Amino acid sequence: MAAKFGFACTIYMGAEDVHRQRPNVFWMEKLGATVVPVTTGSKTLKDAINEAFRDWVSNMDTTHYVMGTVCGPHPFPEMVAWFQSIIGKEARQQILKSFGRLPARVYACVGGGSNAMGIFQGFLDEKDVELIGVEAGGKGIATGKHAVRLAAQDASPGVAQGYKTMFLQDSDGQMLDTHSVAAGLDYVGVSPILTDLWERGRVRFEAATDQEVMAALDLTIKKEGIIPALESTHAFVQAFKEAGSLSPDQAIIINQSGRGDKDIFTIAHAFADPSWKAFIREKGAEYAAY
Amino acid sequence: MQLTDTIRARKAQKDILLMTHLVLGYPSFAVNREVIGQMVENGVDVIELQIPFSEPVADGPMILKANQEAIASGVKVRECLDFAAEMAACHPIPFLFMTYYNILFKYGVGDFIKKSKEIGIQGFIVPDLPPEEGEEYLRLCGEHGLAPIQIFAPTSSEERMRTLAGHGQGFIYCVARRGVTGSKTEFDRPFNDYLARCRRATELPLAVGFGISSREDVAALRGKADLAVIGTATIRLVEEQGPEAVGPFLAGLR
Ligand SMILES: Cc1ncc(COP(=O)(O)O)c(C=O)c1O
């Protein structure tokens, strides 16, 4: 957007995420953005949001704050939800056209919740369409290394980053570190709009572990010939778990919020791919020789 | 005596008051104790005790680091309350809590305010709680006679300032410039115009903070503000020269 309109653009990104999502950083820089790695706190999304706020309050006269997800102070959650609603509108039209009826279920991964809010808005008023948000189970809920705010009991109500929702926090109200193989789901809070939909029973929440995600990714690549992002693959995990309970005349939608290209380093590492590793070593040696 | 009256009474004796700030448990409660002793000895008028929070969005690098290191070293809210009780009992000046709303919210807003009253705290600075979202907090502060200090910023319209002032007690915290704690403030024409707008919007005493670190800064506020707030500067000083440097630094400010 900034490149298209000729705006100067600064992106705050957790230092850990800069490392994990290096291809995204490369493309953002190519598009003309300045990417600032944030080294405070957990060095992930939450800390990047804090730094973006600090920049914004310092440069309010000349700068717009663009929130990457359906969180933050009013009116950002509603703004982002509205921008993302195009996904649900189009998905609804497309499934009616290709399948002739509404889906039985819609699955979406939930970090902050923007892709989920986007697609769910196409079906919110349809009582027969079940909406399922899938959070990052990380290394498993029992380990505490996860980002499950709604699908388990670990989170509690809190107020931070300008909004009230369920946060992963300790009994003093200090935010906890989260973990996920998918940088985009590795966040302590969740959209207050989704929390409301969850409280009212409109959206069901589930969690997928890192390990389940890698298995589902492998399956999706081999059987469907597509490469979903690690974030999106969380939605695939849950859909695969539940697909067996559908009748042949029912359909589901899985929201593929992004492509896995950006995750090539993480995915290749997780699959311990020997030829990829050899290639990286070779490239490393090539650059080291300059 | 309630905070507003205490400040007015002190202001009648001096041409500008000093409010200092520190982050509880950073680098340790023992150092906090020593620093507060020096602050009181050197004539500081009000002390702001920041209860650390993991997401201090209004704070710049120095205070952010202090918050995170305090939490990492295991500082708990209950310890902060105990320490504040000790300080309020042994020093004859007003102590305030500065923190972010989640700390109150998790403790229970009512319980937190009641407890603060019990231990002798006189008011709160909660930068991420606009009055529209703080109905319970404002009501309970009123019931317990604690000052819910409101914050003006250069981006506040005069109408907004009046609304904020209507909810405030004690004094108004005027953020000296757009931004977060720590970096330098220019005391130029626009700054003076801003302070004049603040002055017109409220009868409450005005405190000016963010980037105040020298005798010249404090002098620039004389006649325009009631309190000068020193935050990052003392934390940095303790970090670089140790707690014993705080007394001479403060003594040299006025
Ligand atoms: C591909 C992809 N999907 C999903 C997400 C999660 O964000 P949200 O829950 O806001 O859709 C991200 C976040 O970076 C992402 O990159």
Side-chain angles (χ1 to χ4, degrees), chain A residues 40-42 46-47 49-51 53-54 57-61 156-161 164 167 169-175, chain B residues 51-61 64 68 71 75-78 101-103 105-107 128 155 177-180:
Chain A
T40 52
S42 58
K46 146 176 107 53
D47 312 282
I49 290 174
N50 291 342
E51 274 315 307
F53 276 150
R54 292 184 182 110
V57 297
S58 309
N59 297 294
M60 208 164 246
D61 290 341
S156 59
V159 181
Q161 300 198 318
K164 182 178 182 185
F167 283 102
Q169 56 183 329
D170 71 12
S171 57
D172 268 0
Q174 311 295 0
M175 297 300 146
Chain B
I51 302 176
F53 178 49
S54 56
E55 318 305 319
V57 282
D59 288 303
L64 166 63
Q68 294 188 326
I71 294 164
V75 169
K76 296 283 177 251
V77 172
R78 277 178 200 284
Y101 184 60
N102 203 44
I103 298 295
F105 181 76
K106 276 300 265 189
Y107 193 93
D128 64 343
T155 47
R177 58 175 158 68
R178 290 161 178 75
V180 292

Side-chain angles (χ1 to χ4, degrees), chain A residues 21 68-70 109-116 184-185 229 231-232 257-258 262:
Chain A
Q21 310 265 276
T69 192
V70 263
C109 68
V110 179
S114 55
N115 85 90
L185 306 187
E231 289 83 2
S232 321
S257 55
K262 70 179 174 65

Side-chain angles (χ1 to χ4, degrees), chain B residues 116-139:
Chain B
S116 299
K117 174 74 185 177
E118 256 167 55
I119 65 176
I121 291 294
Q122 302 204 16
F124 305 110
I125 301 172
V126 186
D128 64 343
L129 184 66
E132 290 79 1
E133 303 290 337
E135 209 187 303
E136 182 193 13
Y137 161 80
L138 293 170
R139 180 171 49 76

